[in-house]
């Protein structure tokens, strides 16, 4: 669990460094450039400020996405299915070249053989994380253009299917070289929930099947 937490922290740090920090640094340069023009060319200075406003709005959107990924706020209010739909909507908006089809069932307290609501919430959030990891892995590493996501309740289990049309990859080699932290974390999450995962990959794409018992 501690190892998984450290990998999560490392990934969040990388996301902040590669996107938000770099964009903020670029924003500082733009502001400095605008201040140089403010006395010499007021029109150019205004254009630079407009660029700053546009970039700042983009950075705010990135931060909101990072916060949403850390804790899907709509989950507590709207439930599992709506949260998944919001996640897919955000992915479609962010990765416009990717087509995402989905068929998602809802999950609630009655599905779980767990006495307290906090345990159910932790269970559902963990399932959400698994879906999030699987979809993001497909988008970032598959080199494909389409993802099919199916979530269903079957034989007292939550069964998750994620399939892409990418090039496929060697899971064992990637895991040994630590190139795919997401897949490693995903397997650890599944193990903590007493579930199992199968990954089928070839030149026509990759299919991930996750089965999590409701007990």
């Amino acid at each position: 669990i501690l190892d998984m937490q450290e990998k999560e922290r490392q990934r969040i740090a990388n996301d902040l460094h590669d996107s938000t920090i770099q964009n903020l640094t670029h924003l500082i340069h733009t502001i400095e450039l605008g201040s140089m023009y403010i006395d010499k060319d007021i029109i150019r200075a205004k254009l630079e400020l407009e660029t700053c406003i546009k970039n700042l709005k983009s950075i705010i959107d990135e931060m909101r996405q990072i916060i949403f990924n850390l804790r899907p706020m709509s989950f507590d209010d709207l439930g599992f299915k709506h949260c998944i739909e919001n996640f897919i909507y955000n992915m479609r908006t962010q990765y416009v070249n990717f087509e995402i089809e989905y068929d998602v069932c809802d999950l609630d307290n009655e599905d779980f053989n767990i006495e307290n609501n906090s345990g159910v919430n932790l269970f559902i959030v963990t399932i959400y994380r698994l879906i999030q990891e699987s979809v993001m892995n497909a988008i970032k590493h598959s080199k494909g253009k389409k993802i099919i996501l199916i979530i269903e309740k079957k034989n007292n289990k939550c069964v998750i299917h994620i399939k892409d049309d990418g090039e496929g990859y060697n899971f064992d080699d990637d895991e040994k070289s630590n190139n795919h932290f997401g897949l490693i974390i995903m397997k650890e999450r599944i193990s903590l929930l007493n579930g199992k995962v199968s990954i089928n990959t070839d030149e026509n794409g990759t299919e991930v099947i996750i089965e999590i018992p409701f007990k």
Side-chain angles (χ1 to χ4, degrees), residues 177-192:
S177 62
N178 287 333
N179 287 334
H180 288 282
F181 287 134
L183 287 175
I184 299 171
I185 293 171
M186 184 179 71
K187 292 184 70 176
E188 291 174 348
R189 289 188 195 277
I190 294 168
S191 177
L192 289 172

Side-chain angles (χ1 to χ4, degrees), residues 92-168:
R92 285 174 171 172
T93 303
Q94 187 174 355
Y95 302 96
V96 294
N97 294 327
F98 247 98
E99 178 185 357
I100 303 178
E101 295 182 2
Y102 69 95
D103 183 8
V104 179
C105 69
D106 206 355
L107 299 177
D108 51 45
N109 291 18
E110 296 179 358
D111 293 316
F112 299 89
N113 187 18
I114 301 176
E115 294 182 357
N116 58 78
N117 289 335
S118 61
V120 173
N121 289 335
L122 180 60
F123 203 103
I124 295 178
V125 169
T126 305
I127 290 177
Y128 171 86
R129 296 294 182 210
L130 291 172
I131 296 164
Q132 188 180 44
E133 292 287 354
S134 301
V135 172
M136 289 303 302
N137 281 330
I139 290 175
K140 290 184 176 181
H141 304 298
S142 71
K143 299 180 181 179
K145 295 182 178 179
K146 182 177 181 180
I147 297 173
I148 299 175
L149 169 66
I150 299 174
I151 306 172
E152 58 183 346
K153 292 182 279 189
K154 189 175 181 180
N155 297 328
N156 204 27
K157 296 178 181 178
C158 176
V159 183
I160 305 165
H161 299 259
I162 303 100
K163 181 165 176 45
D164 64 64
D165 63 346
E167 299 177 355

Side-chain angles (χ1 to χ4, degrees), residues 36-58:
M36 293 173 59
Y37 286 112
I38 198 165
D39 294 327
K40 301 177 181 178
D41 189 342
I42 190 65
I43 296 178
R44 180 66 183 273
K46 288 182 178 179
L47 290 174
E48 294 296 336
L49 286 176
E50 289 177 0
T51 301
C52 288
I53 293 172
K54 182 180 179 180
N55 291 340
L56 189 57
K57 289 180 179 179
S58 177

